[in-house]
């Protein structure tokens, strides 16, 4: 009997060894750190934080294609970036959103991921909003190395006025955009497809323009990584 080895005399005999071996059977697989996901082309690359910049025209050296990430504050952008590259501490997952007003550059090494500040932060004042708009509009409109934009939307919510503003700005920019629906784990598996269709329809998007993701369950993460590598102009 399994429990017998943990009490009384038997615990100090050979049975103790057997009970340690049995831990796996009792409590699931042994404790191991998850390694890189071989199906994710971003997990095996070295990544380097280049810097945070307040200027849409900042020159980074070397000049390489850029893939930008944008979405409403709290949409799950930092969590998604961390899941994509398989480094949990890379981008800061915030309890208090809206603090970043800088462009964060990560080199990977053949292209950059650019974390744009989140929009729609309720407590942001007029001046902060104007500064935000100048930075992001400038980046989306004028950045010649911008190869693609990953636009994040929380799958549970209808697009906000800020989301629709952003959609206009993205369309005007003329860049390739992939809409990523985040936090898919918050829905039931059976409810997910209908909700994804509903949100895609509200945004006028076709199925090939969206990707469902969850940073928690890792749904869609390696697929998104593959799309990013392709958009950056590389084979994975
Ligand atoms: P950001 O402000 O867009 O960078 O969002 P964060 O990555 O900081 O996430 C905001 C909140 O949403 C945090 O509490 C995260 O733990 C949570 N979150 C982010 N991604 C997911 C996800 O895929 N599933 C769930 N359930 N929660 C998430």
């Amino acid at each position: 009997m399994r429990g017998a080895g943990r009490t009384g005399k038997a615990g100090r005999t050979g049975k103790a060894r057997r009970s340690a071996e049995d831990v796996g059977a009792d409590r699931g697989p042994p404790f191991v750190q998850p390694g890189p996901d071989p199906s994710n082309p971003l997990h095996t690359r070295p990544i380097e934080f280049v810097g945070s910049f307040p200027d849409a025209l900042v020159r980074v050296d070397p000049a390489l294609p850029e893939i930008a990430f944008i979405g409403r504050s709290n949409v799950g952008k930092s969590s998604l970036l961390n899941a994509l590259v398989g480094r949990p501490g890379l981008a800061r997952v915030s309890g208090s959103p809206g603090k970043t007003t800088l462009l964060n550059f990560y080199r990977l090494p053949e292209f950059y991921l650019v974390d744009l500040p989140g929009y729609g932060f309720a407590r942001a004042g007029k001046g902060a909003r104007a500064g935000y708009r100048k930075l992001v509009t400038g980046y989306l409109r004028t950045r010649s190395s911008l190869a693609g934009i990953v636009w994040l939307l929380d799958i549970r919510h209808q697009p906000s006025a800020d989301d629709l503003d952003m959609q206009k700005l993205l369309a005007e920019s003329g860049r390739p955009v992939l809409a990523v629906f985040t936090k898919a784990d918050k829905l039931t598996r059976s409810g997910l497809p209908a909700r994804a269709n509903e949100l895609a329809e509200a945004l006028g998007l076709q199925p090939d323009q969206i990707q469902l993701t969850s940073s928690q369950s890792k749904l869609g993460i390696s697929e998104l990584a593959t799309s990013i590598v392709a958009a950056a102009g590389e084979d994975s």
Side-chain angles (χ1 to χ4, degrees), residues 72-79 93-94 183 185-186 214-216:
R72 202 176 171 184
S73 284
N74 218 33
V75 70
K77 184 158 52 68
S78 310
S79 305
V93 175
S94 62
K183 307 191 188 182
D185 61 281
K186 295 267 194 184
S214 163
S215 303
Q216 195 158 303

Side-chain angles (χ1 to χ4, degrees), residues 44-76:
T44 45
R45 292 166 196 238
I47 183 160
E48 173 199 1
F49 175 64
V50 178
S52 301
F53 307 103
D55 175 9
L57 296 176
V58 62
R59 288 169 71 122
V60 282
D61 188 27
L64 295 168
E66 294 168 18
I67 303 291
F69 288 70
I70 192 143
R72 202 176 171 184
S73 284
N74 218 33
V75 70

